[in-house]
Amino acid sequence: MFSKTINAVGLVHSPFKEKFAVPRQAKLVADLISEIEMFPPYDDLNCFRGIENFSHLWLIFDFNLIEDHSFRPMVRPPRLGGNRRIGVFATRSPFRPNNIGLSSVANRGVIRRNNKTLLCVAGADLVDGTPIIDIKPYIRFTDAVECADSSYAQEEPGSAAVEFSPEALAFVNSLDPEKYPHFEEIVREIVSYDPRPAYKNKTDIHEYGFSFYDFNIRFRSDNPEHITVTQIRPQ
């Protein structure tokens, strides 16, 4: 039986501190910036020579928050309502034989800060602390297949209209835009895709919350097409 030890090349620094509300696919929240802190010896800038000529990259990562024994031959994709089961290899479920994920992201460049090498990317769907196994350039002529049939995920998921309560909007307006760039727009995009479990009744009006940066974002939905961000508060 094949066996090989795989070492992480880096670690993600992301505004998402937990799995809940992380976009279900990469690039859904395009302005969201994450940084990948590279581990030695992969922090050598020579490893990135020429990467500036690629606008997008593939990140291969470990679903480190999924227990190894959680493999399931059949899973319930959110896009199918969270109740219909199909084979794991027909999905991007994290409950996989080797817990390996793949995401395409926009390349925002390599920087050095505090003696660390950081790869900046936009649109990642990754939790803070996710181990990165490898980084590869996205090659348009071979990686983008215009006529591809993507079954239940042929189109981008629908989104709901989002409004902020006066209290939540006042909190957003008090934030430093340099420290938290595009904060309102990003929260609006995250919430618009309805982070609630797919099997939940969409008329469920319970309030939900998720961690983002140093804050807890509270929201509720009074109908499937409308979601209200009710409160934003420090953790």
Side-chain angles (χ1 to χ4, degrees):
M1 184 176 180
F2 176 80
S3 177
K4 183 176 182 178
T5 299
I6 296 178
N7 297 316
V9 300
L11 194 72
V12 171
H13 295 297
S14 159
F16 293 105
K17 308 305 178 184
E18 59 187 1
K19 291 185 292 182
F20 185 69
V22 172
R24 293 186 174 118
Q25 297 294 338
K27 297 191 292 187
L28 287 179
V29 183
D31 291 328
L32 182 70
I33 301 297
S34 300
E35 295 179 343
I36 301 169
E37 178 185 340
M38 304 303 298
F39 297 150
Y42 316 110
D43 58 347
D44 185 337
L45 289 177
N46 285 318
C47 294
F48 297 92
R49 186 175 298 182
I51 203 171
E52 68 276 5
N53 297 317
F54 292 92
S55 65
H56 291 76
L57 306 168
W58 288 110
L59 301 181
I60 303 170
F61 62 92
D62 176 47
F63 285 109
N64 63 309
L65 299 181
I66 304 299
E67 297 293 336
D68 289 341
H69 63 266
S70 296
F71 166 67
R72 304 171 185 177
M74 298 189 72
V75 296
R76 299 180 295 182
R79 288 289 291 273
L80 293 178
N83 289 311
R84 178 182 166 190
R85 292 181 180 273
I86 63 175
V88 64
F89 295 130
T91 77
R92 295 191 175 188
S93 167
F95 300 100
R96 317 194 67 78
N98 292 300
N99 294 351
I100 293 175
L102 178 70
S103 290
S104 61
V105 296
N107 179 12
R108 292 291 182 263
V110 179
I111 62 174
R112 287 282 296 176
R113 184 194 305 137
N114 298 328
N115 295 319
K116 296 179 179 180
T117 298
L118 304 169
L119 172 63
C120 303
V121 300
D125 53 342
L126 302 175
V127 181
D128 188 55
T130 297
I132 297 297
I133 297 171
D134 205 352
I135 301 162
K136 297 178 183 288
Y138 181 99
I139 299 176
R140 184 176 61 183
F141 86 89
T142 186
D143 293 348
V145 183
E146 293 183 3
C147 61
D149 187 347
S150 299
S151 183
Y152 57 86
Q154 190 71 19
E155 305 293 339
E156 183 176 330
S159 59
V162 177
E163 71 170 325
F164 286 65
S165 71
E167 178 186 359
L169 192 58
F171 188 91
V172 170
N173 291 334
S174 71
L175 295 176
D176 181 350
E178 292 189 2
K179 186 176 181 180
Y180 303 105
H182 308 291
F183 188 91
E184 179 183 347
E185 293 88 342
I186 291 173
V187 170
R188 191 179 296 276
E189 285 187 274
I190 293 168
V191 174
S192 73
Y193 290 111
D194 197 347
R196 294 177 298 171
Y199 60 84
K200 284 287 186 181
N201 186 327
K202 295 306 180 181
T203 60
D204 173 18
I205 61 172
H206 288 89
E207 189 171 83
Y208 290 79
F210 62 93
S211 297
F212 185 67
Y213 281 111
D214 307 314
F215 311 109
N216 183 258
I217 314 292
R218 310 293 300 179
F219 70 94
R220 68 169 180 265
S221 176
D222 49 17
N223 68 66
E225 285 77 41
H226 185 267
I227 298 175
T228 300
V229 177
T230 56
Q231 188 180 48
I232 304 175
R233 60 193 182 201
Q235 294 275 42

